[in-house]
């Protein structure tokens, strides 16, 4: 009897030994994640693919969302030591956040090699991605995203074709011709309401990369990389564009527009919401010349793409990002795992799904049945309800440019767009093909990651440099005086540490790219 009881207890112990791990495996791994979401994007746990991947990967993601004031809150989180397991989305961290806090993050190289076949496949397709996401100790602490629909230019330029036709004007090809068209727009009542309410040029700001006056700076000989106004000269020296003569010419032009009433004067003080409310009115066309990411955002069916115009010195350039357009700068830091994470294997396995063909598209655009339709011929259509735009819909139901994942060239090649812009040949990528000849990639300043001390010094210096540039620029546009004040301005930049700031970026460039 005793022998039988002992045998029973041994068998029971063996059963329990196997049963307890099995039970543990059935419980979802709890992971916390912080994400800086676009204001339009729905909470991620309500979106189909995030629900599906939790079940597939046996994890439960406890999301914490930030849609405003993230920069301030981010620093508090990083300084507190009370970290989430995952920082998710390409607007959540930047390179300096990681480099200055390396001890708070887990290197991903070994995890990827052992547990993330889709991410490995992405790194093989884009070998430069590992370099871009490696930090001062040579290890990867972030995952990049590889986005679809990546043009090699930023903001496009648009003009109201109906206004041109009504006033009997030709499409302008030079900056002087464009100025005269703007003058006609503000003086000859092309919207026909009997009021002088038309705006010639409409900008959201001076330096906005898509909707700002900055989009037009190429006509003044400036090759703009759109990264802190940095660029390269012919000798691969790093330069600060607002200290170049071309910038002086650009600001002189803005002063002329301001003085002559050819531009909406509020562009010096308004925020983007005010700009949109003014220029996206549906009841009456008000602005004849604008810039923006895509024509579908402009809410004006009469707009057509304006080709780059020739500037006063014969320049005809467009700001570009040709070197790393699919691995766009904001996307180098799409996801990181903190040292607070007790199960980084579960985290990387879950992240790996977003780099698969099945889920990469859905992470960017939204789920099948919501944003995407699989067609019988193997193509994939993007769909959205009447009254919506393609841009709004993908930002609502996917993460769009803030996503984590990879849309491979093969999957992107299956996409079919049926928006009016694409049907009319003025979609973003179609415009991009027309703009490419005016981009000079040899002047584009490529992405770098500064060491922790260098990053901290650079950030401190740039705060003063940027403030000086913004202050002088606004004053010159509103009141004039750039000729008299130009040398004083450059001296102020030097006193603020411009040469040292450029030296830091020169050293980083030389270390990473110079032969």
């Amino acid at each position: 009897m005793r022998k039988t009881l002992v045998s029973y207890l041994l068998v029971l112990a063996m059963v329990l030994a196997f049963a307890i791990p099995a039970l543990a495996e059935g419980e979802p791994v709890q992971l916390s994640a912080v994400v800086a979401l676009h204001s339009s994007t729905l909470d991620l746990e309500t979106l189909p693919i995030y629900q599906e991947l939790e079940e597939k990967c046996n994890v439960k993601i406890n999301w914490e969302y930030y849609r405003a004031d993230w920069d301030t809150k981010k620093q508090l989180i990083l300084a507190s030591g009370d970290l989430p397991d995952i920082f998710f989305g390409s607007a959540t961290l930047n390179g300096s956040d990681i480099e200055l806090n390396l001890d708070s993050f887990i290197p991903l190289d070994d995890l990827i090699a052992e547990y993330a076949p889709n991410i490995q496949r992405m790194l093989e397709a884009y070998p430069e991605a590992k370099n871009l996401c490696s930090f001062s100790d040579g290890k990867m602490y972030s995952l990049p995203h590889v986005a679809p629909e990546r043009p090699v230019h930023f903001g496009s330029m648009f003009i109201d074709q109906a206004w041109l036709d009504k006033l009997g004007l030709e499409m302008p090809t030079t900056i002087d011709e464009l100025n005269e068209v703007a003058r006609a727009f503000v003086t000859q009542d092309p919207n026909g309401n009997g009021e002088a309410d038309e705006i010639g040029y409409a900008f959201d700001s001076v330096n906005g990369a898509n909707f700002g006056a900055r989009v037009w700076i190429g006509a003044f000989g400036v090759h703009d990389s759109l990264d802190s106004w940095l660029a390269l000269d012919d000798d691969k020296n790093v330069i600060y564009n607002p200290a170049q003569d071309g910038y002086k010419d650009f600001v002189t032009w803005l002063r002329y527009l301001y003085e002559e009433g050819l531009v909406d004067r509020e562009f010096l003080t308004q925020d983007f919401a005010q700009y949109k409310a003014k220029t996206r009115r549906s009841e009456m066309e008000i602005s004849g010349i604008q810039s923006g990411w895509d024509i579908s955002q402009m809410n004006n069916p009469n707009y057509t793409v304006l080709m780059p115009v020739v500037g006063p010195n014969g320049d005809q350039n467009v700001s570009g990002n040709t070197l790393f357009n699919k691995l766009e700068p904001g996307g180098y830091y799409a996801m990181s795992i903190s040292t607070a994470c007790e199960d980084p294997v579960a985290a990387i396995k879950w992240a790996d799904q977003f780099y698969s063909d099945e889920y990469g598209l859905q992470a960017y655009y939204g789920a099948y049945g919501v944003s995407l339709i699989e067609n019988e011929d193997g193509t994939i259509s993007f769909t959205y309800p009447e009254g919506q735009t393609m841009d709004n819909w993908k930002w609502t139901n996917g993460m769009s440019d803030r996503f984590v994942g990879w849309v491979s060239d093969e999957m992107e090649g299956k996409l079919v767009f049926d928006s009016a812009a694409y049907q009319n040949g003025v979609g973003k990528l179609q415009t991009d093909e027309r703009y490419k000849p005016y981009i000079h990639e040899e002047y584009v300043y490529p992405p770098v990651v500064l060491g922790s001390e260098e990053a901290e010094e650079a950030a401190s210096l740039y705060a003063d440099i940027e403030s000086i540039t913004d202050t002088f620029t606004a004053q010159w546009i509103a009141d004039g005086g750039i000729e008299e004040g130009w040398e004083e301005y450059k001296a102020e930049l030097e006193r603020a540490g411009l040469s040292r700031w450029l030296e830091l970026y020169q050293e980083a460039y030389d270390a990473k790219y110079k032969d």
Side-chain angles (χ1 to χ4, degrees), residues 143-407:
L143 297 176
H145 74 211
V146 184
E149 294 187 82
R150 291 300 91 187
V152 295
H153 78 285
F154 287 82
S156 304
M157 295 164 276
F158 306 108
I159 192 166
D160 195 314
Q161 184 67 57
W163 284 11
L164 287 174
D165 294 343
K166 183 173 183 178
L167 301 180
L169 301 172
E170 298 292 328
M171 181 67 70
T173 59
T174 70
I175 198 74
D176 288 339
E177 291 174 0
L178 191 59
N179 293 341
E180 291 311 305
V181 165
R183 191 182 305 280
F185 285 171
V186 301
T187 60
Q188 297 183 33
D189 192 29
N191 68 14
N193 68 348
E195 299 179 17
D197 59 351
E198 289 86 353
I199 297 170
Y201 293 88
F203 310 132
D204 75 329
S205 61
V206 174
N207 61 3
N210 291 317
F211 300 91
R214 186 173 181 173
V215 175
W216 309 83
I217 200 170
F220 300 91
V222 177
H223 302 283
D224 190 13
S225 305
L226 298 167
D227 183 4
S228 302
W229 289 103
L230 289 172
L232 298 171
D233 67 12
D234 290 326
D235 298 317
K236 301 302 180 185
N237 296 315
V238 183
I239 60 174
Y240 180 56
N241 276 334
Q244 310 306 310
D245 288 344
Y247 185 81
K248 177 184 174 185
D249 295 338
F250 166 67
V251 175
T252 300
W253 171 67
L254 292 177
R255 168 60 182 165
Y256 168 78
L257 299 184
Y258 191 91
E259 205 171 16
E260 295 290 314
L262 305 182
V263 65
D264 174 22
R265 292 189 169 205
E266 293 179 346
F267 84 102
L268 291 176
T269 56
Q270 68 191 355
D271 60 25
F272 188 68
Q274 292 168 319
Y275 163 78
K276 281 185 67 176
K278 185 187 304 173
T279 58
R280 305 296 193 272
R281 301 190 318 179
S282 57
E283 70 275 9
M284 179 63 64
E285 293 174 42
I286 191 170
S287 177
I289 304 165
Q290 284 191 64
S291 57
W293 178 253
D294 184 84
I295 201 168
S296 65
Q297 299 174 326
M298 308 309 289
N299 198 34
N300 185 340
N302 294 321
Y303 273 136
T304 190
V305 173
L306 176 65
M307 293 301 293
V309 294
V310 178
N313 298 315
D315 298 295
Q316 194 176 13
N317 304 324
V318 173
S319 301
N321 182 33
T322 55
L323 297 181
F324 304 99
N325 58 311
K326 288 182 77 66
L327 287 159
E328 56 188 354
Y332 309 151
Y333 319 111
M335 179 178 148
S336 293
I337 302 175
S338 84
T339 52
C341 183
E342 296 182 358
D343 197 338
V345 171
I348 201 69
K349 284 183 174 181
W350 173 74
D352 189 57
Q353 296 301 312
F354 295 106
Y355 291 80
S356 67
D357 285 345
E358 181 179 2
Y359 291 105
L361 273 180
Q362 297 183 77
Y364 187 85
Y365 290 104
Y368 288 102
V370 177
S371 301
L372 300 171
I373 298 173
E374 293 184 275
N375 302 313
E376 291 183 0
D377 62 0
T379 61
I380 301 170
S381 295
F382 182 85
T383 183
Y384 51 93
E386 186 175 352
Q388 284 281 347
T389 67
M390 183 173 78
D391 192 66
N392 288 341
W393 197 245
K394 70 184 182 184
W395 273 111
T396 301
N397 296 285
M399 286 185 70
S400 192
D401 293 349
R402 298 191 182 190
F403 88 129
V404 175
W406 172 34
V407 178

